[in-house]
Amino acid sequence: MTAFLWALLGVAAGACIAIQAPINALLGRGLGMPVAAACVSFLSGAIILAAVMFATASFEGRAPDWRGPDLWLYVAGGALGTIYVTTAIFLTPRIGAAAVMAFAVSGQLLAGILLDRMGFLGMAVREISVGRIAGALLLVAGALMIRFL
């Protein structure tokens, strides 16, 4: 049952990303700049996350170790997220939310397979198998079908 709940949580998170794309695209049209919409999205998310972090730290009786991680880790995730969110804002009105999500998931899967194979940043190495390649190709084919058929 726990695995099912984790999978359900993952599906819900994915649905939030799909819903976020047209909301941010509408915000970008209203502001007249997709980059401004991405900025507002990240700023509001940062404020909400800060509140959740402080509440969690208070509840757990501990605080983050701000000196622990390497400095580049403080910006790397946000920089990559900026590319994704800004691209989704730009593409959603042009090709639709389903196509944007399909191509994004395809990119995530292809990158994930390579990162697993490399053992990127200390992750466990997972070999590239025929099943993984077939799954990735089917996902890319599905993304192309969503966009062009």
Side-chain angles (χ1 to χ4, degrees), residues 37-89:
C39 180
V40 169
S41 181
F42 273 87
L43 182 60
S44 64
I47 291 168
I48 293 166
L49 279 173
V52 170
M53 178 198 63
F54 286 120
T56 303
S58 175
F59 179 75
E60 293 179 355
R62 60 188 182 124
D65 179 9
W66 297 108
R67 293 175 289 179
D70 291 336
L71 291 177
W72 71 273
L73 291 172
Y74 282 93
V75 296
L80 293 168
T82 297
I83 294 167
Y84 167 74
V85 170
T86 304
T87 302
I89 290 169

mmCIF file of all heavy atoms in Angstrom, residues 37-89:
data_model
loop_
_atom_site.group_PDB
_atom_site.id
_atom_site.type_symbol
_atom_site.label_atom_id
_atom_site.label_comp_id
_atom_site.label_asym_id
_atom_site.label_seq_id
_atom_site.Cartn_x
_atom_site.Cartn_y
_atom_site.Cartn_z
ATOM 1 N N ALA A 37 6.745 36.274 -15.654
ATOM 2 C CA ALA A 37 5.860 35.280 -15.042
ATOM 3 C C ALA A 37 6.674 34.210 -14.321
ATOM 4 O O ALA A 37 6.306 33.781 -13.220
ATOM 5 C CB ALA A 37 4.969 34.648 -16.109
ATOM 6 N N ALA A 38 7.770 33.774 -14.919
ATOM 7 C CA ALA A 38 8.633 32.795 -14.262
ATOM 8 C C ALA A 38 9.194 33.361 -12.961
ATOM 9 O O ALA A 38 9.249 32.680 -11.938
ATOM 10 C CB ALA A 38 9.769 32.374 -15.198
ATOM 11 N N CYS A 39 9.580 34.627 -12.981
ATOM 12 C CA CYS A 39 10.116 35.289 -11.787
ATOM 13 C C CYS A 39 9.070 35.321 -10.671
ATOM 14 O O CYS A 39 9.363 34.971 -9.530
ATOM 15 C CB CYS A 39 10.578 36.695 -12.142
ATOM 16 S SG CYS A 39 11.270 37.607 -10.752
ATOM 17 N N VAL A 40 7.855 35.712 -11.020
ATOM 18 C CA VAL A 40 6.774 35.763 -10.030
ATOM 19 C C VAL A 40 6.486 34.368 -9.495
ATOM 20 O O VAL A 40 6.291 34.174 -8.286
ATOM 21 C CB VAL A 40 5.505 36.401 -10.640
ATOM 22 C CG1 VAL A 40 4.305 36.225 -9.727
ATOM 23 C CG2 VAL A 40 5.742 37.875 -10.947
ATOM 24 N N SER A 41 6.478 33.368 -10.382
ATOM 25 C CA SER A 41 6.224 31.993 -9.967
ATOM 26 C C SER A 41 7.276 31.516 -8.964
ATOM 27 O O SER A 41 6.945 30.947 -7.926
ATOM 28 C CB SER A 41 6.206 31.079 -11.196
ATOM 29 O OG SER A 41 5.950 29.751 -10.824
ATOM 30 N N PHE A 42 8.536 31.769 -9.267
ATOM 31 C CA PHE A 42 9.605 31.350 -8.355
ATOM 32 C C PHE A 42 9.566 32.144 -7.053
ATOM 33 O O PHE A 42 9.797 31.590 -5.979
ATOM 34 C CB PHE A 42 10.974 31.511 -9.020
ATOM 35 C CG PHE A 42 11.372 30.304 -9.826
ATOM 36 C CD1 PHE A 42 10.987 30.183 -11.141
ATOM 37 C CD2 PHE A 42 12.115 29.295 -9.251
ATOM 38 C CE1 PHE A 42 11.345 29.076 -11.885
ATOM 39 C CE2 PHE A 42 12.483 28.170 -9.985
ATOM 40 C CZ PHE A 42 12.094 28.069 -11.311
ATOM 41 N N LEU A 43 9.282 33.432 -7.135
ATOM 42 C CA LEU A 43 9.238 34.260 -5.927
ATOM 43 C C LEU A 43 8.121 33.803 -4.994
ATOM 44 O O LEU A 43 8.345 33.622 -3.794
ATOM 45 C CB LEU A 43 9.062 35.736 -6.297
ATOM 46 C CG LEU A 43 9.038 36.718 -5.124
ATOM 47 C CD1 LEU A 43 10.342 36.653 -4.339
ATOM 48 C CD2 LEU A 43 8.800 38.135 -5.641
ATOM 49 N N SER A 44 6.929 33.597 -5.555
ATOM 50 C CA SER A 44 5.819 33.152 -4.704
ATOM 51 C C SER A 44 6.106 31.765 -4.144
ATOM 52 O O SER A 44 5.822 31.482 -2.967
ATOM 53 C CB SER A 44 4.494 33.178 -5.469
ATOM 54 O OG SER A 44 4.512 32.264 -6.542
ATOM 55 N N GLY A 45 6.686 30.888 -4.969
ATOM 56 C CA GLY A 45 7.047 29.557 -4.479
ATOM 57 C C GLY A 45 8.090 29.621 -3.377
ATOM 58 O O GLY A 45 8.015 28.880 -2.392
ATOM 59 N N ALA A 46 9.056 30.515 -3.525
ATOM 60 C CA ALA A 46 10.103 30.655 -2.503
ATOM 61 C C ALA A 46 9.522 31.140 -1.177
ATOM 62 O O ALA A 46 9.907 30.659 -0.103
ATOM 63 C CB ALA A 46 11.185 31.613 -2.989
ATOM 64 N N ILE A 47 8.594 32.068 -1.258
ATOM 65 C CA ILE A 47 7.964 32.579 -0.032
ATOM 66 C C ILE A 47 7.177 31.475 0.663
ATOM 67 O O ILE A 47 7.283 31.282 1.882
ATOM 68 C CB ILE A 47 7.072 33.798 -0.356
ATOM 69 C CG1 ILE A 47 7.945 34.986 -0.773
ATOM 70 C CG2 ILE A 47 6.183 34.154 0.833
ATOM 71 C CD1 ILE A 47 7.169 36.142 -1.391
ATOM 72 N N ILE A 48 6.406 30.710 -0.113
ATOM 73 C CA ILE A 48 5.623 29.613 0.464
ATOM 74 C C ILE A 48 6.539 28.546 1.048
ATOM 75 O O ILE A 48 6.320 28.056 2.165
ATOM 76 C CB ILE A 48 4.662 29.031 -0.590
ATOM 77 C CG1 ILE A 48 3.598 30.068 -0.942
ATOM 78 C CG2 ILE A 48 4.031 27.734 -0.109
ATOM 79 C CD1 ILE A 48 2.804 29.755 -2.194
ATOM 80 N N LEU A 49 7.587 28.188 0.308
ATOM 81 C CA LEU A 49 8.520 27.174 0.810
ATOM 82 C C LEU A 49 9.252 27.638 2.071
ATOM 83 O O LEU A 49 9.512 26.833 2.970
ATOM 84 C CB LEU A 49 9.533 26.799 -0.270
ATOM 85 C CG LEU A 49 9.033 25.797 -1.299
ATOM 86 C CD1 LEU A 49 10.060 25.630 -2.412
ATOM 87 C CD2 LEU A 49 8.733 24.455 -0.649
ATOM 88 N N ALA A 50 9.592 28.929 2.138
ATOM 89 C CA ALA A 50 10.248 29.444 3.345
ATOM 90 C C ALA A 50 9.332 29.298 4.552
ATOM 91 O O ALA A 50 9.771 28.879 5.633
ATOM 92 C CB ALA A 50 10.648 30.902 3.145
ATOM 93 N N ALA A 51 8.059 29.609 4.369
ATOM 94 C CA ALA A 51 7.103 29.455 5.470
ATOM 95 C C ALA A 51 6.986 27.990 5.895
ATOM 96 O O ALA A 51 6.991 27.672 7.095
ATOM 97 C CB ALA A 51 5.735 30.006 5.061
ATOM 98 N N VAL A 52 6.911 27.091 4.916
ATOM 99 C CA VAL A 52 6.826 25.657 5.229
ATOM 100 C C VAL A 52 8.107 25.181 5.911
ATOM 101 O O VAL A 52 8.063 24.414 6.876
ATOM 102 C CB VAL A 52 6.542 24.839 3.946
ATOM 103 C CG1 VAL A 52 6.691 23.346 4.191
ATOM 104 C CG2 VAL A 52 5.162 25.169 3.402
ATOM 105 N N MET A 53 9.275 25.659 5.424
ATOM 106 C CA MET A 53 10.547 25.263 6.018
ATOM 107 C C MET A 53 10.633 25.703 7.487
ATOM 108 O O MET A 53 10.998 24.916 8.357
ATOM 109 C CB MET A 53 11.719 25.855 5.242
ATOM 110 C CG MET A 53 13.080 25.504 5.844
ATOM 111 S SD MET A 53 14.426 26.556 5.292
ATOM 112 C CE MET A 53 13.940 28.154 5.894
ATOM 113 N N PHE A 54 10.266 26.962 7.756
ATOM 114 C CA PHE A 54 10.342 27.448 9.137
ATOM 115 C C PHE A 54 9.351 26.712 10.035
ATOM 116 O O PHE A 54 9.670 26.385 11.176
ATOM 117 C CB PHE A 54 10.115 28.961 9.198
ATOM 118 C CG PHE A 54 11.299 29.749 8.708
ATOM 119 C CD1 PHE A 54 11.172 30.609 7.629
ATOM 120 C CD2 PHE A 54 12.546 29.632 9.299
ATOM 121 C CE1 PHE A 54 12.256 31.338 7.156
ATOM 122 C CE2 PHE A 54 13.645 30.351 8.853
ATOM 123 C CZ PHE A 54 13.495 31.211 7.770
ATOM 124 N N ALA A 55 8.166 26.425 9.525
ATOM 125 C CA ALA A 55 7.185 25.668 10.312
ATOM 126 C C ALA A 55 7.689 24.257 10.579
ATOM 127 O O ALA A 55 7.575 23.746 11.702
ATOM 128 C CB ALA A 55 5.843 25.633 9.584
ATOM 129 N N THR A 56 8.256 23.616 9.570
ATOM 130 C CA THR A 56 8.795 22.263 9.729
ATOM 131 C C THR A 56 9.970 22.256 10.696
ATOM 132 O O THR A 56 10.059 21.379 11.567
ATOM 133 C CB THR A 56 9.236 21.703 8.358
ATOM 134 O OG1 THR A 56 8.125 21.725 7.461
ATOM 135 C CG2 THR A 56 9.744 20.290 8.467
ATOM 136 N N ALA A 57 10.868 23.225 10.560
ATOM 137 C CA ALA A 57 12.021 23.307 11.465
ATOM 138 C C ALA A 57 11.561 23.498 12.896
ATOM 139 O O ALA A 57 12.100 22.877 13.822
ATOM 140 C CB ALA A 57 12.945 24.442 11.035
ATOM 141 N N SER A 58 10.559 24.334 13.087
ATOM 142 C CA SER A 58 10.033 24.568 14.426
ATOM 143 C C SER A 58 9.393 23.301 14.987
ATOM 144 O O SER A 58 9.616 22.937 16.137
ATOM 145 C CB SER A 58 9.013 25.705 14.381
ATOM 146 O OG SER A 58 8.408 25.872 15.635
ATOM 147 N N PHE A 59 8.623 22.612 14.166
ATOM 148 C CA PHE A 59 7.953 21.390 14.585
ATOM 149 C C PHE A 59 8.950 20.292 14.928
ATOM 150 O O PHE A 59 8.782 19.576 15.902
ATOM 151 C CB PHE A 59 6.992 20.916 13.480
ATOM 152 C CG PHE A 59 6.276 19.647 13.803
ATOM 153 C CD1 PHE A 59 5.220 19.628 14.702
ATOM 154 C CD2 PHE A 59 6.659 18.448 13.204
ATOM 155 C CE1 PHE A 59 4.555 18.448 15.010
ATOM 156 C CE2 PHE A 59 6.004 17.265 13.501
ATOM 157 C CZ PHE A 59 4.946 17.266 14.403
ATOM 158 N N GLU A 60 10.012 20.170 14.105
ATOM 159 C CA GLU A 60 11.009 19.125 14.312
ATOM 160 C C GLU A 60 12.084 19.528 15.314
ATOM 161 O O GLU A 60 12.898 18.708 15.720
ATOM 162 C CB GLU A 60 11.668 18.747 12.981
ATOM 163 C CG GLU A 60 10.717 18.072 12.014
ATOM 164 C CD GLU A 60 11.383 17.735 10.685
ATOM 165 O OE1 GLU A 60 12.563 18.112 10.482
ATOM 166 O OE2 GLU A 60 10.717 17.105 9.851
ATOM 167 N N GLY A 61 12.119 20.799 15.685
ATOM 168 C CA GLY A 61 13.104 21.265 16.648
ATOM 169 C C GLY A 61 14.526 21.307 16.110
ATOM 170 O O GLY A 61 15.485 21.103 16.850
ATOM 171 N N ARG A 62 14.669 21.531 14.814
ATOM 172 C CA ARG A 62 15.999 21.631 14.218
ATOM 173 C C ARG A 62 15.960 22.637 13.075
ATOM 174 O O ARG A 62 14.896 23.053 12.652
ATOM 175 C CB ARG A 62 16.502 20.288 13.716
ATOM 176 C CG ARG A 62 15.642 19.670 12.658
ATOM 177 C CD ARG A 62 16.109 18.244 12.348
ATOM 178 N NE ARG A 62 15.283 17.689 11.295
ATOM 179 C CZ ARG A 62 15.746 17.208 10.173
ATOM 180 N NH1 ARG A 62 17.039 17.213 9.939
ATOM 181 N NH2 ARG A 62 14.944 16.709 9.271
ATOM 182 N N ALA A 63 17.142 23.026 12.616
ATOM 183 C CA ALA A 63 17.251 24.010 11.541
ATOM 184 C C ALA A 63 18.168 23.465 10.446
ATOM 185 O O ALA A 63 18.985 22.579 10.702
ATOM 186 C CB ALA A 63 17.823 25.323 12.083
ATOM 187 N N PRO A 64 18.039 23.987 9.226
ATOM 188 C CA PRO A 64 18.932 23.546 8.157
ATOM 189 C C PRO A 64 20.385 23.911 8.461
ATOM 190 O O PRO A 64 20.662 24.919 9.099
ATOM 191 C CB PRO A 64 18.456 24.326 6.919
ATOM 192 C CG PRO A 64 17.119 24.872 7.275
ATOM 193 C CD PRO A 64 17.066 24.979 8.763
ATOM 194 N N ASP A 65 21.308 23.087 7.994
ATOM 195 C CA ASP A 65 22.739 23.372 8.107
ATOM 196 C C ASP A 65 23.155 24.127 6.857
ATOM 197 O O ASP A 65 23.545 23.539 5.856
ATOM 198 C CB ASP A 65 23.534 22.072 8.248
ATOM 199 C CG ASP A 65 25.032 22.317 8.336
ATOM 200 O OD1 ASP A 65 25.454 23.493 8.465
ATOM 201 O OD2 ASP A 65 25.787 21.327 8.271
ATOM 202 N N TRP A 66 23.051 25.446 6.884
ATOM 203 C CA TRP A 66 23.294 26.281 5.708
ATOM 204 C C TRP A 66 24.738 26.211 5.224
ATOM 205 O O TRP A 66 25.022 26.514 4.074
ATOM 206 C CB TRP A 66 22.909 27.732 5.997
ATOM 207 C CG TRP A 66 21.450 27.894 6.294
ATOM 208 C CD1 TRP A 66 20.895 28.172 7.506
ATOM 209 C CD2 TRP A 66 20.363 27.767 5.382
ATOM 210 N NE1 TRP A 66 19.523 28.232 7.401
ATOM 211 C CE2 TRP A 66 19.168 27.987 6.099
ATOM 212 C CE3 TRP A 66 20.269 27.484 4.024
ATOM 213 C CZ2 TRP A 66 17.906 27.942 5.515
ATOM 214 C CZ3 TRP A 66 19.008 27.432 3.436
ATOM 215 C CH2 TRP A 66 17.850 27.658 4.176
ATOM 216 N N ARG A 67 25.668 25.802 6.096
ATOM 217 C CA ARG A 67 27.080 25.725 5.711
ATOM 218 C C ARG A 67 27.447 24.368 5.131
ATOM 219 O O ARG A 67 28.550 24.188 4.627
ATOM 220 C CB ARG A 67 27.970 26.043 6.907
ATOM 221 C CG ARG A 67 27.849 27.499 7.349
ATOM 222 C CD ARG A 67 28.629 27.738 8.584
ATOM 223 N NE ARG A 67 27.893 27.054 9.668
ATOM 224 C CZ ARG A 67 28.262 27.008 10.922
ATOM 225 N NH1 ARG A 67 29.370 27.583 11.280
ATOM 226 N NH2 ARG A 67 27.538 26.399 11.819
ATOM 227 N N GLY A 68 26.537 23.409 5.161
ATOM 228 C CA GLY A 68 26.829 22.048 4.719
ATOM 229 C C GLY A 68 27.077 21.881 3.231
ATOM 230 O O GLY A 68 28.120 21.371 2.822
ATOM 231 N N PRO A 69 26.151 22.293 2.374
ATOM 232 C CA PRO A 69 26.312 22.031 0.935
ATOM 233 C C PRO A 69 27.347 22.932 0.267
ATOM 234 O O PRO A 69 27.614 24.043 0.731
ATOM 235 C CB PRO A 69 24.923 22.334 0.351
ATOM 236 C CG PRO A 69 24.004 22.485 1.518
ATOM 237 C CD PRO A 69 24.839 22.829 2.697
ATOM 238 N N ASP A 70 27.892 22.449 -0.853
ATOM 239 C CA ASP A 70 28.763 23.283 -1.681
ATOM 240 C C ASP A 70 27.946 24.456 -2.214
ATOM 241 O O ASP A 70 26.740 24.342 -2.456
ATOM 242 C CB ASP A 70 29.311 22.482 -2.873
ATOM 243 C CG ASP A 70 30.300 21.416 -2.443
ATOM 244 O OD1 ASP A 70 30.908 21.552 -1.360
ATOM 245 O OD2 ASP A 70 30.467 20.439 -3.202
ATOM 246 N N LEU A 71 28.615 25.585 -2.445
ATOM 247 C CA LEU A 71 27.913 26.797 -2.873
ATOM 248 C C LEU A 71 27.152 26.624 -4.182
ATOM 249 O O LEU A 71 26.059 27.162 -4.340
ATOM 250 C CB LEU A 71 28.902 27.958 -2.988
ATOM 251 C CG LEU A 71 29.483 28.467 -1.666
ATOM 252 C CD1 LEU A 71 30.506 29.566 -1.923
ATOM 253 C CD2 LEU A 71 28.376 28.967 -0.751
ATOM 254 N N TRP A 72 27.686 25.869 -5.135
ATOM 255 C CA TRP A 72 27.025 25.734 -6.428
ATOM 256 C C TRP A 72 25.666 25.056 -6.303
ATOM 257 O O TRP A 72 24.780 25.287 -7.126
ATOM 258 C CB TRP A 72 27.920 25.011 -7.437
ATOM 259 C CG TRP A 72 28.119 23.542 -7.170
ATOM 260 C CD1 TRP A 72 29.056 22.966 -6.372
ATOM 261 C CD2 TRP A 72 27.346 22.469 -7.725
ATOM 262 N NE1 TRP A 72 28.927 21.606 -6.383
ATOM 263 C CE2 TRP A 72 27.875 21.270 -7.211
ATOM 264 C CE3 TRP A 72 26.261 22.407 -8.594
ATOM 265 C CZ2 TRP A 72 27.365 20.024 -7.541
ATOM 266 C CZ3 TRP A 72 25.753 21.159 -8.922
ATOM 267 C CH2 TRP A 72 26.307 19.982 -8.398
ATOM 268 N N LEU A 73 25.482 24.238 -5.266
ATOM 269 C CA LEU A 73 24.198 23.558 -5.071
ATOM 270 C C LEU A 73 23.077 24.546 -4.713
ATOM 271 O O LEU A 73 21.908 24.254 -4.938
ATOM 272 C CB LEU A 73 24.317 22.496 -3.975
ATOM 273 C CG LEU A 73 25.181 21.293 -4.335
ATOM 274 C CD1 LEU A 73 25.385 20.409 -3.119
ATOM 275 C CD2 LEU A 73 24.564 20.516 -5.484
ATOM 276 N N TYR A 74 23.438 25.706 -4.195
ATOM 277 C CA TYR A 74 22.431 26.705 -3.839
ATOM 278 C C TYR A 74 21.759 27.314 -5.067
ATOM 279 O O TYR A 74 20.657 27.840 -4.969
ATOM 280 C CB TYR A 74 23.057 27.821 -2.988
ATOM 281 C CG TYR A 74 23.257 27.408 -1.548
ATOM 282 C CD1 TYR A 74 24.464 26.865 -1.121
ATOM 283 C CD2 TYR A 74 22.244 27.556 -0.619
ATOM 284 C CE1 TYR A 74 24.643 26.488 0.191
ATOM 285 C CE2 TYR A 74 22.409 27.178 0.696
ATOM 286 C CZ TYR A 74 23.612 26.634 1.096
ATOM 287 O OH TYR A 74 23.779 26.252 2.399
ATOM 288 N N VAL A 75 22.421 27.286 -6.207
ATOM 289 C CA VAL A 75 21.844 27.914 -7.401
ATOM 290 C C VAL A 75 21.535 26.933 -8.521
ATOM 291 O O VAL A 75 20.734 27.240 -9.401
ATOM 292 C CB VAL A 75 22.741 29.048 -7.944
ATOM 293 C CG1 VAL A 75 22.849 30.174 -6.945
ATOM 294 C CG2 VAL A 75 24.100 28.534 -8.337
ATOM 295 N N ALA A 76 22.148 25.773 -8.532
ATOM 296 C CA ALA A 76 22.011 24.853 -9.667
ATOM 297 C C ALA A 76 20.563 24.431 -9.905
ATOM 298 O O ALA A 76 20.063 24.500 -11.035
ATOM 299 C CB ALA A 76 22.896 23.626 -9.459
ATOM 300 N N GLY A 77 19.879 23.985 -8.873
ATOM 301 C CA GLY A 77 18.495 23.541 -9.037
ATOM 302 C C GLY A 77 17.580 24.666 -9.488
ATOM 303 O O GLY A 77 16.731 24.483 -10.367
ATOM 304 N N GLY A 78 17.757 25.833 -8.909
ATOM 305 C CA GLY A 78 16.949 26.980 -9.309
ATOM 306 C C GLY A 78 17.210 27.399 -10.736
ATOM 307 O O GLY A 78 16.290 27.767 -11.477
ATOM 308 N N ALA A 79 18.478 27.325 -11.154
ATOM 309 C CA ALA A 79 18.816 27.685 -12.538
ATOM 310 C C ALA A 79 18.166 26.716 -13.520
ATOM 311 O O ALA A 79 17.590 27.132 -14.534
ATOM 312 C CB ALA A 79 20.332 27.697 -12.723
ATOM 313 N N LEU A 80 18.226 25.432 -13.216
ATOM 314 C CA LEU A 80 17.586 24.443 -14.091
ATOM 315 C C LEU A 80 16.065 24.601 -14.076
ATOM 316 O O LEU A 80 15.412 24.493 -15.112
ATOM 317 C CB LEU A 80 17.990 23.034 -13.663
ATOM 318 C CG LEU A 80 19.471 22.710 -13.869
ATOM 319 C CD1 LEU A 80 19.846 21.417 -13.167
ATOM 320 C CD2 LEU A 80 19.805 22.659 -15.343
ATOM 321 N N GLY A 81 15.501 24.879 -12.916
ATOM 322 C CA GLY A 81 14.066 25.112 -12.823
ATOM 323 C C GLY A 81 13.639 26.333 -13.618
ATOM 324 O O GLY A 81 12.563 26.364 -14.219
ATOM 325 N N THR A 82 14.489 27.349 -13.640
ATOM 326 C CA THR A 82 14.209 28.562 -14.406
ATOM 327 C C THR A 82 14.078 28.241 -15.885
ATOM 328 O O THR A 82 13.175 28.738 -16.563
ATOM 329 C CB THR A 82 15.322 29.598 -14.182
ATOM 330 O OG1 THR A 82 15.339 29.958 -12.800
ATOM 331 C CG2 THR A 82 15.115 30.842 -15.027
ATOM 332 N N ILE A 83 14.965 27.411 -16.383
ATOM 333 C CA ILE A 83 14.900 27.021 -17.793
ATOM 334 C C ILE A 83 13.589 26.299 -18.065
ATOM 335 O O ILE A 83 12.878 26.602 -19.023
ATOM 336 C CB ILE A 83 16.108 26.149 -18.176
ATOM 337 C CG1 ILE A 83 17.393 26.967 -18.090
ATOM 338 C CG2 ILE A 83 15.930 25.539 -19.575
ATOM 339 C CD1 ILE A 83 18.655 26.131 -18.148
ATOM 340 N N TYR A 84 13.241 25.340 -17.206
ATOM 341 C CA TYR A 84 12.010 24.583 -17.410
ATOM 342 C C TYR A 84 10.773 25.483 -17.353
ATOM 343 O O TYR A 84 9.939 25.465 -18.251
ATOM 344 C CB TYR A 84 11.875 23.443 -16.386
ATOM 345 C CG TYR A 84 10.482 22.886 -16.404
ATOM 346 C CD1 TYR A 84 10.062 22.088 -17.459
ATOM 347 C CD2 TYR A 84 9.557 23.217 -15.423
ATOM 348 C CE1 TYR A 84 8.765 21.619 -17.522
ATOM 349 C CE2 TYR A 84 8.265 22.762 -15.483
ATOM 350 C CZ TYR A 84 7.873 21.960 -16.536
ATOM 351 O OH TYR A 84 6.582 21.509 -16.602
ATOM 352 N N VAL A 85 10.639 26.259 -16.288
ATOM 353 C CA VAL A 85 9.432 27.068 -16.109
ATOM 354 C C VAL A 85 9.291 28.108 -17.218
ATOM 355 O O VAL A 85 8.207 28.281 -17.789
ATOM 356 C CB VAL A 85 9.414 27.733 -14.710
ATOM 357 C CG1 VAL A 85 8.313 28.761 -14.599
ATOM 358 C CG2 VAL A 85 9.236 26.668 -13.628
ATOM 359 N N THR A 86 10.361 28.787 -17.557
ATOM 360 C CA THR A 86 10.298 29.803 -18.609
ATOM 361 C C THR A 86 9.960 29.167 -19.958
ATOM 362 O O THR A 86 9.142 29.695 -20.719
ATOM 363 C CB THR A 86 11.620 30.589 -18.695
ATOM 364 O OG1 THR A 86 11.907 31.143 -17.406
ATOM 365 C CG2 THR A 86 11.532 31.710 -19.711
ATOM 366 N N THR A 87 10.565 28.026 -20.250
ATOM 367 C CA THR A 87 10.259 27.329 -21.497
ATOM 368 C C THR A 87 8.810 26.875 -21.529
ATOM 369 O O THR A 87 8.126 27.022 -22.555
ATOM 370 C CB THR A 87 11.211 26.123 -21.683
ATOM 371 O OG1 THR A 87 12.556 26.595 -21.667
ATOM 372 C CG2 THR A 87 10.937 25.393 -22.979
ATOM 373 N N ALA A 88 8.308 26.348 -20.423
ATOM 374 C CA ALA A 88 6.908 25.915 -20.371
ATOM 375 C C ALA A 88 5.958 27.095 -20.563
ATOM 376 O O ALA A 88 4.943 26.981 -21.263
ATOM 377 C CB ALA A 88 6.622 25.203 -19.048
ATOM 378 N N ILE A 89 6.288 28.238 -19.970
ATOM 379 C CA ILE A 89 5.456 29.436 -20.136
ATOM 380 C C ILE A 89 5.438 29.857 -21.606
ATOM 381 O O ILE A 89 4.390 30.220 -22.151
ATOM 382 C CB ILE A 89 5.958 30.579 -19.239
ATOM 383 C CG1 ILE A 89 5.689 30.255 -17.766
ATOM 384 C CG2 ILE A 89 5.309 31.907 -19.622
ATOM 385 C CD1 ILE A 89 6.380 31.186 -16.791
#
